[in-house]
């Protein structure tokens, strides 16, 4: 795993899970689950450290294979970061998810003029068009991971009708 072209050896120490969903007809995605813990000084690993921080739109490259012959599974960008603070500190984790570059091609910018409109009218107009809270994909970490797994399973099951499909 490389972040902005650099290998972070500490990442492997904290790695709980790594998932890549390769899509032939859409954006491929990834999810990285890292363990975090509270240090004696009251700071969290990966969250309060200068070198261990992740940011949206950082480039992530995930490779797999044998020594000297690794293949790139996905080369994309971080779309979201969500920490989970468990009641037992040892169970806390950081979930990082993202997509390959084709995902950005599905995004579109809309410009709508609101002349002489109150802010409340603008907000009502935006939310009436189907933008729902939470905005920008910010959801609890567990829900993101479940959605990632369900989407991957649904696509696989649709290609293998002998087993069935999810509704």
């Amino acid at each position: 795993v490389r972040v902005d072209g650099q290998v972070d050896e500490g990442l492997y120490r904290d790695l709980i899970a790594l998932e890549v969903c390769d899509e032939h007809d859409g954006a491929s995605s990834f999810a990285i689950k890292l363990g975090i813990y509270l240090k004696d000084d009251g700071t969290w690993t990966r969250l309060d450290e200068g070198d261990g921080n992740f940011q949206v739109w950082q480039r992530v490259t995930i490779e797999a294979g044998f020594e000297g012959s690794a293949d790139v599974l996905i080369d994309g960008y971080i779309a979201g970061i969500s920490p989970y603070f468990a009641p037992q500190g040892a169970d806390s984790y950081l979930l990082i998810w993202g997509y390959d570059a084709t995902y950005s091609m599905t995004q579109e910018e809309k410009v709508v003029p609101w002349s002489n409109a109150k802010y409340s009218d603008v907000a009502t107009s935006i939310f009436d068009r189907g933008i729902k809270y939470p905005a920008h994909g910010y959801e609890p970490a567990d829900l993101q991971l479940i959605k990632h797994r369900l989407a991957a399973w649904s696509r696989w099951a649709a290609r293998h009708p002998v087993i069935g499909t999810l509704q």
Side-chain angles (χ1 to χ4, degrees):
V1 177
R2 292 191 314 264
V3 179
D4 286 336
Q6 303 296 316
V7 175
D8 177 2
E9 295 298 333
L11 184 130
Y12 300 109
R13 177 192 66 229
D14 300 331
L15 187 64
I16 295 172
L18 173 67
E19 295 183 12
V20 175
C21 182
D22 188 21
E23 290 298 317
H24 70 283
D25 59 350
S28 296
S29 61
F30 65 88
I32 302 170
K33 189 175 182 181
L34 300 173
I36 58 174
Y37 63 91
L38 186 62
K39 297 190 295 188
D40 291 336
D41 64 1
T43 61
W44 286 89
T45 59
R46 295 273 168 203
L47 300 176
D48 298 319
E49 299 170 341
D51 294 338
N53 292 343
F54 291 92
Q55 297 177 16
V56 174
W57 289 112
Q58 273 185 311
R59 188 172 186 173
V60 173
T61 304
I62 300 173
E63 298 176 336
F66 297 102
E67 190 172 326
S69 65
D71 293 324
V72 174
L73 299 179
I74 190 167
D75 186 17
Y77 298 91
I78 295 174
I81 304 161
S82 184
Y84 171 74
F85 302 102
Q88 298 294 326
D91 296 331
S92 298
Y93 60 86
L94 180 66
L95 183 65
I96 302 127
W97 67 93
Y99 304 93
D100 66 9
T102 59
Y103 179 75
S104 63
M105 293 189 293
T106 65
Q107 305 301 305
E108 64 181 76
E109 182 177 334
K110 292 187 178 185
V111 178
V112 179
W114 282 289
S115 301
N116 299 321
K118 297 184 290 185
Y119 289 123
S120 59
D121 293 338
V122 172
T124 301
S125 177
I126 289 171
F127 286 100
D128 284 347
R129 290 188 176 153
I131 299 174
K132 304 291 183 205
Y133 179 82
H136 304 294
Y138 179 78
E139 296 177 311
D142 288 336
L143 184 55
Q144 278 294 336
L145 191 57
I146 289 167
K147 282 182 171 181
H148 185 268
R149 288 180 178 157
L150 181 59
W153 170 252
S154 295
R155 289 185 292 271
W156 185 87
R159 290 194 282 271
H160 300 85
V162 172
I163 293 177
T165 60
L166 296 175
Q167 299 296 328

